[in-house]
Amino acid sequence: QQPVQSPQAVILREGEDAVINCSSSKALYSVHWYRQKHGEAPVFLMILLKGGEQKGHEKISASFNEKKQQSSLYLTASQLSYSGTYFCGTPLSGGTSYGKLTFGQGTILTVHP
Amino acid sequence: DTEVTQTPKHLVMGMTNKKSLKCEQHMGHRAMYWYKQKAKKPPELMFVYSYEKLSINESVPSRFSPECPNSSLLNLHLHALQPEDSALYLCASSQRPGSYEQYFGPGTRLTVT
C-alpha cells in the first residue's frame, strides 16, 4: 500500500518555507526522500532509519515519527533550485533487506522568484 | 564516480519488435533496480537484483525480461510490448539491498507504437 503525501502541490516565493508530509496506514520501518526535477531522474535527499531521527541536507531537513507512522520534510528559505516533485519512499514490510521501496504519489513544489 | 548510465535515452518500437535497455554502474553497488514511471506518477518498482540474482519480480508481464550479466550491468529485454507500456524506464543501484540510498540513472523514454 502506497504511503500518502500531503499536500499534493505547493507554490512558494523564494525565501518561504514549506513542509511536506508522508504518512502510512502500516508500520513505517524507514523513510527515504527523493526529489525529481522535470525530465530528470529522482535524486536522493536523505533516509531516516528510526523513529525520532532527524536529518538535514543544506536547508532541507526531515523528521520521522515512528509512532505516528509519518515523516515530514522541511524546506526552509526556499530557493528556485528546490522546485521539483518530492517523493517519499518506504519499504512496506519489516523485511527491509531487499530494498523494495514503494513511493508516495509525490508533492509538486514550485518556487517563484 | 556516482553515476548510473542508461542507454538508449529514447526508444520507439513497434509491438512486434525486440529491443533491450541497458544500465551500467561502476560504484561497486550490489543491488540494482528497474522502475517504470508514467507521467506525473511515482516510480513503480519492477525488478530487484541482489548480488546479481533476481530477488524481486513485482508481477511484471513476461514481455519484460531482466538480465544481470555481472555486478555492473543490468539489461531489460523487451518483446511484444503494448502501447500502454510506453513510459520512462529508470534504472537504479544501491550499495546493498536494504535501506540504502538509491542512485538513479537518467532513464530511457520508451514509446510503443
Side-chain angles (χ1 to χ4, degrees), chain A residues 6-24:
Chain A
S6 62
Q8 289 190 31
V10 60
I11 299 173
L12 301 172
R13 293 224 173 266
E14 262 187 303
E16 291 181 338
D17 302 341
V19 180
I20 299 171
N21 298 305
C22 174
S23 63
S24 173

Side-chain angles (χ1 to χ4, degrees), chain A residues 2 30 32 34 36 39-44 47 49 87 91 96-101 103-106, chain B residues 33 35 37 40-43 45 48 50 55-56 58 88 90 97-102 104-106 109:
Chain A
Q2 189 180 35
S30 65
H32 299 220
Y34 290 81
Q36 186 175 27
E40 298 181 11
V43 173
F44 170 79
I47 292 178
L49 294 173
F87 293 103
T96 60
S97 59
Y98 297 110
K100 175 181 171 177
L101 285 183
F103 288 96
Q105 80 277 21
Chain B
Y33 311 81
Y35 288 89
Q37 188 176 28
K40 301 190 178 182
K41 296 288 187 185
L45 184 68
V48 180
S50 196
S55 59
I56 293 179
E58 288 289 279
L88 180 68
L90 293 162
S99 271
Y100 294 90
E101 55 263 42
Q102 295 187 16
F104 283 82
R109 177 76 58 190

Side-chain angles (χ1 to χ4, degrees), chain B residues 12-25:
Chain B
V12 179
M13 59 186 289
M15 290 190 284
T16 57
N17 291 160
K18 280 187 183 181
K19 296 285 184 184
S20 296
L21 309 185
K22 180 179 168 182
C23 171
E24 202 160 2
Q25 57 87 14

Side-chain angles (χ1 to χ4, degrees), chain A residues 75-91:
Chain A
L75 300 105
T76 57
S78 59
Q79 305 167 16
L80 294 175
S81 61
Y82 287 2
S83 293
T85 301
Y86 289 77
F87 293 103
C88 66
T90 65

